[in-house]
Amino acid sequence: KIFNELINLITKNQKLIPPMRIAEGRVIENWIDYNDHMNMAYYVQCFEESSDFILEHFDLGYDYATTHKKGVFVIKCEINYKKEIKLGEKFFISLEGLVFQGKKLILNLSMIDDQSNICADYEILNLNVDLKTKKSISFNKEELKY
């Protein structure tokens, strides 16, 4: 686990059916830039931490890499900022889309404030990779908890 700022809202045997809130957090002082709002890098950090929650839920995280020698690599991400968020504000990360397709995993996430306003959208394209060969491989549907 790289980041440790959000609360994981995904329960152990929960089916992930978008749209659904998967994480919550609060903007901390270290994330505020000289424009008096959350710096763009921390939006990405929050989305990535939420993505890790999803990977762990599907057993595609730490154990997948260390035991099975497979990993999920980010190959493209896009973020759209819609509304600034400021110090102390509570927010949620919502899973808006989830697609497993061969060797690809596509996640669509949104950051939503306390008043249900969308602060940012995030789309991430991941590839399943054999860590020994460093080549992309299809997800094994039998192994996948999906």
Side-chain angles (χ1 to χ4, degrees):
K1 185 164 164 114
I2 299 171
F3 309 117
N4 199 20
E5 300 295 342
L6 303 185
I7 298 167
N8 185 353
L9 301 178
I10 304 170
T11 58
K12 185 169 174 71
N13 295 315
Q14 184 174 18
K15 184 114 171 116
L16 299 188
I17 302 171
M20 65 179 290
R21 290 181 176 183
I22 59 168
E24 72 176 70
R26 190 172 297 276
V27 180
I28 61 176
E29 190 169 351
N30 289 348
W31 296 352
I32 300 299
D33 65 18
Y34 53 77
N35 293 313
D36 197 34
H37 59 213
M38 189 162 88
N39 182 271
M40 57 141 324
Y42 297 103
Y43 285 82
V44 175
Q45 177 178 320
C46 292
F47 283 125
E48 279 303 294
E49 185 169 349
S50 300
S51 297
D52 284 346
F53 294 157
I54 294 168
L55 292 178
E56 288 298 333
H57 183 75
F58 290 124
D59 290 333
L60 297 173
Y62 179 81
D63 187 58
Y64 192 60
T66 58
T67 302
H68 301 282
K69 304 299 182 212
K70 297 176 189 170
V72 178
F73 286 23
V74 175
I75 62 166
K76 181 182 175 188
C77 64
E78 180 180 319
I79 189 166
N80 295 300
Y81 302 97
K82 310 236 179 202
K83 177 187 172 296
E84 66 182 354
I85 189 166
K86 297 189 170 235
L87 179 63
E89 286 188 54
K90 185 176 182 177
F91 62 87
F92 300 92
I93 303 295
S94 176
L95 175 64
E96 300 295 322
L98 170 71
V99 176
F100 281 99
Q101 186 178 56
K103 52 180 108 176
K104 296 178 187 175
L105 168 59
I106 303 165
L107 297 174
N108 294 94
L109 305 171
S110 290
M111 179 181 283
I112 302 167
D113 70 12
D114 255 355
Q115 288 75 47
S116 299
N117 298 305
I118 297 174
C119 300
D121 291 320
Y122 188 68
E123 180 175 88
I124 185 168
L125 173 59
N126 301 282
L127 276 184
N128 191 34
V129 174
D130 181 314
L131 295 178
K132 292 177 247 166
T133 65
K134 295 293 186 177
K135 295 193 185 283
S136 60
I137 56 172
S138 291
F139 286 102
N140 183 337
K141 295 290 185 180
E142 290 77 44
E143 291 178 351
L144 202 54
K145 288 181 13 182
Y146 176 63

